[in-house]
Amino acid sequence: MWSLPLNISKRVQNLEYAIRDVVGHARKLEKKGRDVIYLNIGDPLLFDFETPEHVKAALIQAVKDDFNEYSPSEGLPELRDAICEKEKKVGDINVLPENVIVSNGVSEGIQMVLAALVDAGSEILVPGPAYPPYISYTEFFGGKAVLYRTIEEDGWQPDLEDVRAKISDSTRALVVINPNNPCGALYDKKVVKALTDMAGEYAIPVISDEIYNQLAYDELLSTAKVANDVPVIGLNGFSKVYLMTGWRLGYVFFAGQDEQLLEELRDNITKEARIRLSANTPVQKAAISALRGPQTHISSMVKKLRERRDFSYKRLNEIDGISCTEPKGAFYFFPKVEGIGSRWENDMAFVSDLLEHTGIVFVHGSGFGTIYGSGHFRGVFLPPLDVLEKSFDRLDSYMTKKGQ
Ligand SMILES: Cc1ncc(COP(=O)(O)O)c(C=O)c1O
């Protein structure tokens, strides 16, 4: 006999993804005819950025040429070679093709890596504010995400003392996201070195999420480059830099001196890759073209984004009650709002009230972890200047009204 409600696992019931969870109310307003501006999602393709023509052509060709079967679970050999060439060229690191596993987006890479490292009670050190999947997947696998502080006044650089204080016998990995989502921080070379040295001291592998590594407005150093003998599990992909968000392709790579350590982890993650058969084959073909073909779209993208970053940073700081550190990478701003806890009950109330009054969709800061994210909001500076201008004008008059 059926009985309702069906038993849904606690694991799934507890899942959250603030960046998309905020959209429901916005869609309702839009249905009522309101002009809604979505500044919540980090997808360049929703604005005036397009997948490069040669990459689109390569996908179409791959489908026509019948590359439509499953690929090897680890990914197409030619793509794994191209990824190693790119890692050498961009990050100056040596990765062997057998140490690359192609995934359906970095998201799947995060899931596979954490599944391999987390047991019940394991702890994963994650930068706070945090990109939510690192918290969600860690908890999903029975572990605990321990957020380490990043210092707003210092451009959201990791607080090294806090990291050290939070390392325990249960720590299974230290996550570094550089450039960072949601803060737009770019970590100093010295900080990255200190983090990897600390991981080495306690024999903890580093998970380095480098999805924005070619979208930096200052010098960026790859984690594996400074990590010496500390194993680095790198995560990168095609969504942002190669403008392929909807195609879902990424990769995990293993870098470091200790072959044996890496081999064991890699072989276990490969088992996970086999269970899900393979990544999307024609998209892998297109990714080879993305990596080996013209790269000119990257510099034009960075140029456009830099202009939008400068504009957003200036405008946000001119608004009474808002203060923002300068984003140095990626395409996010993460400003602080004065009056959270008094004028607004919390940052969620701020974001909903702002949406109601202005039609602008931001993500509440606590969606990136309550300890370090509260009192803030995250937006993207992806739209063209006129859209950003309209958004900041609305935010400005909203803040003025609320301040009266
Ligand atoms: C830091 C970070 N890692 C991973 C992802 C997910 O990327 P993908 O589209 O490759 O799954 C994102 C997407 O916003 C991100 O910001």
Side-chain angles (χ1 to χ4, degrees), residues 17 105-107 110 131 134 177 181 209 211-212 239-240 245 248-249 332:
Y17 190 63
V106 173
S107 310
I110 298 172
Y131 178 58
Y134 287 98
I177 305 173
N181 176 10
D209 186 327
I211 191 165
Y212 300 103
S239 289
K240 318 284 180 176
T245 46
R248 315 304 305 123
L249 204 72
Y332 305 101

Side-chain angles (χ1 to χ4, degrees), residues 221-298:
L221 195 85
S222 97
T223 309
K225 181 77 191 155
V226 291
N228 294 328
D229 55 347
V230 176
V232 173
I233 306 155
L235 291 165
N236 210 331
F238 297 86
S239 289
K240 318 284 180 176
V241 173
Y242 292 95
L243 299 159
M244 292 159 60
T245 46
W247 293 9
R248 315 304 305 123
L249 204 72
Y251 58 92
V252 183
F253 65 88
F254 304 92
Q257 310 289 336
D258 195 329
E259 294 283 318
Q260 229 180 334
L261 277 178
L262 291 175
E263 224 175 85
E264 204 184 344
L265 182 62
R266 181 200 65 200
D267 291 350
N268 279 289
I269 295 181
T270 305
K271 288 193 278 183
E272 293 182 59
R274 288 185 195 135
I275 296 179
R276 60 68 157 130
L277 310 186
S278 80
N280 184 320
T281 308
V283 171
Q284 290 187 64
K285 279 280 178 190
I288 297 167
S289 279
L291 294 178
R292 290 189 171 154
Q295 305 289 304
T296 45
H297 74 278
I298 302 176

Side-chain angles (χ1 to χ4, degrees), residues 198-211:
M198 209 185 294
E201 210 180 302
Y202 295 92
I204 302 164
V206 173
I207 299 174
S208 177
D209 186 327
E210 305 178 358
I211 191 165

Side-chain angles (χ1 to χ4, degrees), residues 30-77:
E30 222 175 358
K31 268 202 184 133
K32 285 190 209 157
R34 291 278 302 279
D35 175 29
V36 175
I37 307 177
Y38 290 90
L39 298 185
N40 57 315
I41 292 190
D43 187 346
L45 293 144
L46 296 173
F47 303 97
D48 57 340
F49 298 92
E50 259 183 43
T51 317
E53 283 307 320
H54 66 281
V55 182
K56 288 188 204 168
L59 176 66
I60 294 165
Q61 199 57 48
V63 173
K64 284 189 177 159
D65 288 347
D66 279 324
F67 286 104
N68 297 312
E69 68 276 20
Y70 295 128
S71 79
S73 296
E74 302 88 328
L76 292 174

Side-chain angles (χ1 to χ4, degrees), residues 185-205:
L186 194 63
Y187 296 166
D188 288 345
K189 182 178 168 178
K190 270 195 263 168
V191 173
V192 180
K193 175 91 182 100
L195 281 172
T196 55
D197 284 352
M198 209 185 294
E201 210 180 302
Y202 295 92
I204 302 164

Side-chain angles (χ1 to χ4, degrees), residues 133-199:
Y134 287 98
I135 303 178
S136 309
Y137 279 127
T138 300
E139 289 173 358
F140 193 83
F141 296 120
K144 185 175 164 209
V146 176
L147 269 56
Y148 61 84
R149 176 175 180 243
T150 60
I151 310 164
E152 181 166 16
E153 305 73 44
D154 193 13
W156 298 104
Q157 298 289 320
D159 177 341
L160 296 169
E161 284 319 304
D162 196 54
V163 179
R164 187 181 289 282
K166 286 174 178 167
I167 294 176
S168 79
D169 290 345
S170 304
T171 308
R172 294 291 170 268
L174 167 64
V175 177
V176 174
I177 305 173
N178 187 29
N180 185 270
N181 176 10
C183 302
L186 194 63
Y187 296 166
D188 288 345
K189 182 178 168 178
K190 270 195 263 168
V191 173
V192 180
K193 175 91 182 100
L195 281 172
T196 55
D197 284 352
M198 209 185 294

